[in-house]
Amino acid sequence: MNDLMRDAESLLGKALSDGVDRRDFLKTALGTGFAAATLPVVAQNVIKTDTAGLTAGTITIQVNGQNVPVYRAQPEGKTDLPVILVISEIFGVHEHIADVARRFAKQGYLALAPDLFIRQGDPTKVASIADLQRDIISKTPDAQVFADLDAVVAWAKANGGNGDKLAITGFCWGGRITWLYAAHNPAIKAGVAWYGRLKGDVNANFPRHPIDVAGILKAPILGLYGAKDTGIPLDSVAAMEAALALGPSKSQIVIYPNSGHAFHADYRPSYVEADARDGWKRTLAWLMQHNVI
């Protein structure tokens, strides 16, 4: 099983074993209203953050002739805001990711969650995980992602964001991007990677992985990982910690012994409320500690 498929199976495994069809999951669980109707077993866990006091909704940023949708949430009428990039799972910017952006906006951030798969396709319309990996994820180059994020950062600076207070966070696929983009963009002051892959095969689209940049990384990144994550073994986490110790970033990794993959995803059976809440608390404290608020 290749790296991206392992991530996907790790994320979806329990829901699929509970009898949720992959096609139904992708079609309904990842759309705007995605969770409660198809996964009632976890509907009670879904956090719904309102837009009271916020400006929230989808904007469009043009990058090299391509219109890139970006979910934006920020305190209404405020400027000079700290900026946080919110990077999605492999399933794109669905309602859970939008809700996370609103949670950051409630804390005073200009939160921006771009659709980084816009050129390759719509994950909500893909019939299987194999198709998703083959047709979209494997064809989305890191360099393209970085260029899109660079454009999002430029938009933020021109639209009420404080470029000196720039952070990034991401989940699963987005966790990997969190480490890599922090190495790519020296303006990133801090970040939080939720269960992002650390090692893997390299090719033209994915020339480096987080462990390859650990020694040169300057921005402090907080990594949040689950000990029971079958897609990200603990030996790779230990190797990342060792590599980080040789560099200047002072990044840290927290391992939750009772969690597997996607423990923050409140719409999924993988959700572990205690660890998700602790991770969120640590996230806000980490960003504050590193002056991104």
Side-chain angles (χ1 to χ4, degrees):
M1 186 184 299
N2 65 38
D3 296 333
L4 294 172
M5 280 295 288
R6 189 177 295 109
D7 280 345
E9 294 294 350
S10 177
L11 183 59
L12 289 180
K14 183 157 192 319
L16 298 179
S17 67
D18 287 345
V20 178
D21 178 76
R22 286 178 180 175
R23 181 185 296 271
D24 289 342
F25 183 87
L26 287 167
K27 184 189 298 181
T28 54
L30 305 179
T32 300
F34 68 111
T38 56
L39 296 174
V41 67
V42 294
Q44 62 186 342
N45 295 331
V46 174
I47 298 171
K48 295 183 181 294
T49 304
D50 62 40
T51 59
L54 303 180
T55 298
T58 300
I59 62 170
T60 300
I61 297 174
Q62 191 170 91
V63 186
N64 299 323
Q66 171 68 53
N67 289 330
V68 177
V70 181
Y71 186 84
R72 178 268 305 265
Q74 68 179 83
E76 188 175 11
K78 300 292 183 62
T79 59
D80 196 33
L81 296 168
V83 178
I84 188 158
L85 305 173
V86 180
I87 314 302
S88 74
E89 310 155 326
I90 61 172
F91 308 121
V93 184
H94 52 66
E95 176 57 21
H96 172 65
I97 299 301
D99 197 274
V100 171
R102 292 193 295 272
R103 295 175 207 176
F104 278 112
K106 293 280 189 177
Q107 297 294 323
Y109 289 88
L110 166 55
L112 298 164
D115 180 355
L116 297 169
F117 305 127
I118 186 65
R119 297 170 187 78
Q120 282 68 36
D122 183 350
T124 70
K125 293 180 169 59
V126 178
S128 72
I129 293 299
D131 291 346
L132 176 60
Q133 186 273 335
R134 183 190 66 236
D135 298 336
I136 296 180
I137 306 304
S138 69
K139 295 181 179 179
T140 303
D142 289 343
Q144 173 190 294
V145 171
F146 298 162
D148 284 354
L149 292 176
D150 287 345
V152 172
V153 170
W155 184 93
K157 291 178 180 179
N159 289 273
N162 184 336
D164 293 325
K165 293 188 174 183
L166 176 64
I168 185 170
T169 191
F171 305 87
C172 185
W173 180 87
R176 173 182 175 274
I177 294 298
T178 294
W179 292 104
L180 292 174
Y181 188 70
H184 165 81
N185 186 347
I188 294 289
K189 294 297 186 291
V192 180
W194 298 75
Y195 33 86
R197 175 167 291 283
L198 299 168
K199 302 170 65 176
D201 299 331
V202 299
N203 55 46
N205 283 345
F206 313 120
R208 296 195 297 183
H209 292 287
I211 197 165
D212 301 317
V213 302
I216 62 171
L217 188 68
K218 294 182 180 179
I221 305 298
L222 175 65
L224 303 174
Y225 289 82
K228 297 179 180 180
D229 191 333
T230 59
I232 305 175
L234 285 178
D235 60 353
S236 73
V237 179
M240 183 68 175
E241 288 183 299
L244 287 168
L246 299 176
S249 73
K250 298 183 179 179
S251 297
Q252 296 179 13
I253 290 179
V254 175
I255 299 172
Y256 292 97
N258 297 319
S259 284
H261 201 73
F263 62 85
H264 182 268
D266 53 53
Y267 67 100
R268 293 290 325 289
S270 57
Y271 179 59
V272 180
E273 181 178 7
D275 292 348
R277 289 183 178 276
D278 182 78
W280 179 250
K281 181 179 178 180
R282 288 176 184 269
T283 294
L284 298 180
W286 184 262
L287 298 179
M288 181 175 290
Q289 175 186 343
H290 295 289
N291 301 313
V292 195
I293 188 62

